[in-house]
Amino acid sequence: MKPPKISTKLTLFYTIVFTLFLAGVSALYYNLLEFQLDKALRDDLEERAAALRGYLNFDEGEPQLEYDASDPEEANFITIATRYYQVYDATTAAMIRRSPAMEALGFQYTSEEVKELVGLVGHSDISSIQTEQVSLLIHSDLVRAPDGRPYLIQIGASLRPRDTALNQLFHISLWLVPAGGLLGILLGWWMAKRVLRPVKALGEVAQEIGISQLHRRLPVRGSGDELDQLAQTFNEVLARLETAVGQMQEFTANISHELRTPLTALRGEAAVALANARSESDYRRVLESQLEEFEKLSRMVNQMLTLARAEAGQIQIAHETVDLSALARSLAEQMEAVAWSKGITLTAELDGKVMVVGDSGWLEHVILNLLDNAIKFTQESGRVRVSVSSREGDAIIEIHDSGIGISPDVLPHVFERFYRGDPSRSKELEGAGLGLSLVEWIVKQHHGKVNVESQTGHGSIFRVALPLAHPVSPESF
Ligand code: ADP
């Protein structure tokens, strides 16, 4: 089953909230009205009972109402107050008098009920009578004749007006609540459409953005609301994707370019060699020269593969304690012969143990690469110096050379992939421009920094700073 749309959910939510709210308000209002009407009726009954007491007289021992019938106000009050009126002899429980309306109801208490009512007077004066025609609220009063004989005097008020009012309210609510629900549906639907319209618009634009349109951006309305924030975040993701895809395209283009030149050269060499019959030594020479090219090519492919794997996060960095001084010493010894063959003096200035936590294989790669470059870009009788020291919590590796240096316009780019300072110079020095990108990646993986200072003609200093190993917990790396 298809999951419900957000607009459907919102509409449903509004409808339920609206309906529940109206039902709740109606119920509350109903209860309040019932309470108020009941209270008003009781107060009214009590007032009338108190007033009637003033007209009570005992003629021949029995309670009688005496009033001035010629006074319309008085007569009117007595008529209304005694519409439902009855008097019982509290001793015998016999009915003495009742109003015609009461008589018409045909209702009469049993002697037990009279006794019970008499007992309740003073505690609970209000009771009710339910007949087929009408429901009455009854007020009971106990009065004593001058001879001390007790009488139960009751007046009643019809509950019909109160019931009618409550019934009307109930019927109004029966319409109001569903009508409110309907309004909730309309309102919810309208609100959901209104709120979701910009989301839909964003979705439509986002759908049009393919890999070739990564330069496009989602519209930001400038309201600063959550949707604008979402669009902005999405735009930032697009920008990152654009950069990454751009780099990938550049990488691919660079690879093709880098491979094409040596492959064309190899192919040409082979074609020329095969064009005429040659002596074995000639073939041998061609093959030897090609073998060198193949080695360079495979070195370059290996470097590219390593970088690609590194960027894809497929390379694990070991967390072992490495003594950088010892590592640099052994690498300097290893490179000494290469430097010597170029007439370069390679020296090492190494502090005692300088410990870092990391991967000795990859750290070796860093030092070797920098040493290799330093020797590569230094002329005969030049100097290369590797030093390892510790400074302010960092292990510092520095590779100084007195070589050709790097011009200021080249300097900011040397860590970029496939970047080679001077193409004519680099061609003859045979690098793919990948060495320093890999160095930078390795140093970053070790939470360190690498930078370079250089001046054309005055040599270069490549400086690597790595966090020193914590003496207690190397795992905190
Ligand atoms: P490559 O493998 O071609 O040497 P790198 O990434 O190692 O590539 O270096 C990139 C560029 O940085 C080089 O082509 C060169 O121009 C410059 N460079 C690197 N190290 C030095 C150095 N010690 N002296 C002068 N230039 C250097």
Side-chain angles (χ1 to χ4, degrees), residues 303 369-370 373-374 376-377 401 404-406 410 414 416 419-422 425-426 430-437 460 462:
Q303 269 186 324
N369 225 300
L370 295 176
N373 274 353
K376 202 159 69 176
F377 294 107
D401 68 62
I404 58 173
I406 306 167
V410 168
V414 291
E416 287 171 16
Y419 190 85
R420 282 171 305 194
D422 175 356
R425 185 186 67 179
S426 294
E430 328 275 1
L434 291 170
L436 288 181
S437 348
S460 319
F462 280 83

Side-chain angles (χ1 to χ4, degrees), residues 220-289:
V220 178
R221 291 165 305 146
S223 61
D225 62 5
E226 288 87 342
L227 283 179
D228 262 7
Q229 283 170 16
L230 181 73
Q232 254 156 4
T233 311
F234 197 80
N235 284 343
E236 282 161 22
V237 173
L238 277 177
R240 285 202 293 275
L241 275 177
E242 191 185 6
T243 315
V245 169
Q247 280 174 350
M248 266 165 58
Q249 284 167 345
E250 194 188 273
F251 194 54
T252 319
N254 282 334
I255 290 173
S256 326
H257 182 77
E258 292 300 325
L259 292 178
R260 201 174 50 193
T261 319
L263 281 176
T264 314
L266 281 168
R267 194 172 168 279
E269 222 174 346
V272 170
L274 286 174
N276 300 304
R278 288 169 193 276
S279 65
E280 198 194 318
S281 64
D282 280 346
Y283 283 127
R284 181 172 285 280
R285 201 173 31 78
V286 171
L287 283 177
E288 275 169 2
S289 131

